[in-house]
């Protein structure tokens, strides 16, 4: 998957972290943990009383993360925080796309009340280390696509990782959607979520039913070719289904994807096409990156004639791709339900 493109978003520089460094020594004594929590009686939101004692969690980078007790001051990538929220686990701070320019929640914030979390950074490469330190974090949680901590800036990574232990859930080539969902649920449970909570049980059942709907749709309408794309002013990026957890899972359900044959040098996620070559691959349906900072269908149709000329665009067979899913069963069930409808209703036009 492409890195987030922020060239036409307002982008603040990284906040100077000098004031945070003086807090490192004090915080190192109180932060840090990854572990297990005993199940308790779940409340309506899906959380349970966390066990006292050490907390440990083996993350998808192969690291055993541990703290002296179950983390309470949790800071997380926005999408990770949104998934934990669906299980009843609250966080104190977030980093990543959280608030739109009009003040409304970014789609990646899911159902969270963003007024109740400290936003440490709202775009890629932005992370206020001083505010992070002030939260006295017990643990930092995020995803990983390529072995790195997603949305933790490389320039300030060392300072950030000194303040609290970090854990990451795989959402790239080493995972598929069902695996990422299971691992996120395990993480939530370790932090006190009750896996037997009715909301959680119902959401998982809905997800499984939605997966069956996608299988049925692909069998009933075979041969529909789906291109996964993302647009910026200069390029159409065509994603391969082989290196993203969501697309790998969709393919296992029978979805037939266009697979680019010339990935960009240094990328395992996409091939970039100039707009003059936007028609290189034939497709009946296009799943278009829905992230903040990418061009959407209406603007592309007005500004890019080669986009408007694509058969899928002419047929109105453009659907949003939730490029960075919120890995809770509730949110992913909706993605699968929408995908099933898209495939079921698609006509072969390529």
């Amino acid at each position: 998957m492409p890195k987030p493109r922020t060239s036409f978003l307002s982008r603040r520089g990284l906040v100077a972290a000098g004031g945070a460094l003086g807090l490192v020594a004090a915080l190192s004594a109180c932060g840090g943990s990854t572990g297990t929590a005993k199940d308790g009686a779940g409340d309506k939101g899906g959380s349970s009383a966390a066990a006292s004692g050490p907390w440990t969690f083996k993350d998808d980078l192969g690291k055993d993360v541990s703290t002296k007790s179950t983390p309470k001051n949790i800071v997380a990538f926005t999408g990770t925080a949104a998934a934990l929220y669906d299980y009843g686990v609250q966080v104190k701070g977030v980093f990543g796309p959280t608030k739109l320019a009009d003040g409304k929640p970014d789609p990646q914030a899911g159902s969270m009340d963003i007024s109740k979390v400290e936003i440490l950074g709202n775009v890629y490469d932005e992370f206020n280390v001083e505010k992070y330190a002030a939260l006295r974090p017990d643990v930092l949680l995020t995803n990983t696509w390529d072995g790195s901590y997603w949305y933790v800036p490389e320039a300030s990574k060392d300072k950030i990782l000194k303040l609290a232990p970090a854990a990451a859930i795989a959402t790239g080539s080493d995972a598929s959607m069902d695996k990422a969902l299971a691992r996120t649920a395990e993480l939530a449970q370790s932090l006190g979520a009750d896996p037997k909570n009715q909301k959680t049980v119902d959401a998982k059942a809905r997800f499984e039913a939605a997966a069956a709907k996608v299988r049925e749709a692909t069998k009933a309408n075979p041969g529909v070719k789906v291109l996964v794309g993302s647009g910026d002013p200069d390029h159409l990026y065509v994603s391969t289904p082989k290196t993203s957890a969501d697309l790998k899972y969709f393919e296992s359900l029978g979805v037939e994807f266009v697979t680019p044959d010339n990935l960009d040098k240094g990328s395992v996620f996409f091939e970039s096409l100039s707009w003059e070559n936007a028609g290189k691959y034939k497709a009946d349906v296009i799943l278009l990156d829905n992230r903040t900072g990418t061009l959407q269908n209406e603007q592309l149709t007005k500004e890019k004639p080669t986009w408007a000329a694509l058969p899928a665009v002419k047929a109105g067979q453009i659907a949003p791709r939730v490029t960075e899913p919120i890995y809770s069963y509730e949110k992913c069930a909706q993605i699968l339900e929408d995908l099933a409808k898209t495939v079921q209703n698609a006509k072969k036009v390529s």
Side-chain angles (χ1 to χ4, degrees), residues 138-304:
D138 294 325
V139 70
L140 180 148
L141 304 174
T142 186
N143 297 334
T144 181
W145 286 78
D146 55 4
S148 64
Y149 294 103
W150 188 235
Y151 263 80
V152 175
E154 188 64 30
S156 53
K157 177 183 68 175
D158 292 344
K159 298 172 185 177
I160 293 166
L161 297 181
K162 284 180 181 178
L163 291 167
I169 299 296
T171 55
S173 58
D174 294 333
S176 62
M177 176 176 273
D178 53 343
K179 182 178 178 181
L181 281 166
R183 290 289 286 143
T184 303
E186 289 174 17
L187 176 61
Q189 184 178 351
S190 79
L191 295 167
D194 179 6
K196 296 180 181 179
N197 175 269
Q198 194 61 49
K199 177 183 176 182
T200 299
V201 172
D202 290 346
K204 187 173 183 180
R206 179 186 170 193
F207 173 82
E208 291 170 348
K213 290 179 182 178
V214 176
R215 288 192 188 95
E216 292 168 3
T218 58
K219 288 179 180 179
N221 197 6
V224 171
K225 299 293 289 185
V226 179
L227 182 147
V228 180
S230 182
D232 73 11
D234 299 314
H235 297 95
L236 173 64
Y237 298 85
V238 180
S239 294
T240 173
K242 307 301 182 183
T243 51
S244 298
D246 59 334
L247 302 183
K248 285 175 65 177
Y249 185 62
F250 300 163
E251 194 169 47
S252 76
L253 299 177
V255 177
E256 298 182 38
F257 285 109
V258 169
T259 300
D261 56 24
N262 189 26
L263 298 182
D264 284 15
K265 185 176 180 180
S267 173
V268 297
F269 298 111
F270 60 82
E271 176 182 354
S272 58
L273 302 175
S274 65
W275 283 110
E276 291 79 4
N277 296 311
K280 176 179 178 180
Y281 297 108
K282 304 302 181 183
D284 305 299
V285 171
I286 297 176
L287 297 182
L288 186 63
D289 189 345
N290 76 332
R291 288 179 297 173
T292 305
T294 63
L295 297 180
Q296 299 305 303
N297 183 40
E298 183 177 357
Q299 187 173 2
L300 288 171
T301 301
K302 290 179 180 179
E303 298 178 4
K304 306 296 181 184

Side-chain angles (χ1 to χ4, degrees), residues 6 66 98 124 130 142 161 214 220 223-224 252 310 348-349:
T6 58
S66 61
T98 307
Y124 193 73
E130 187 171 8
T142 186
L161 297 181
V214 176
V224 171
S252 76
L310 295 176
K348 298 182 188 65
V349 293

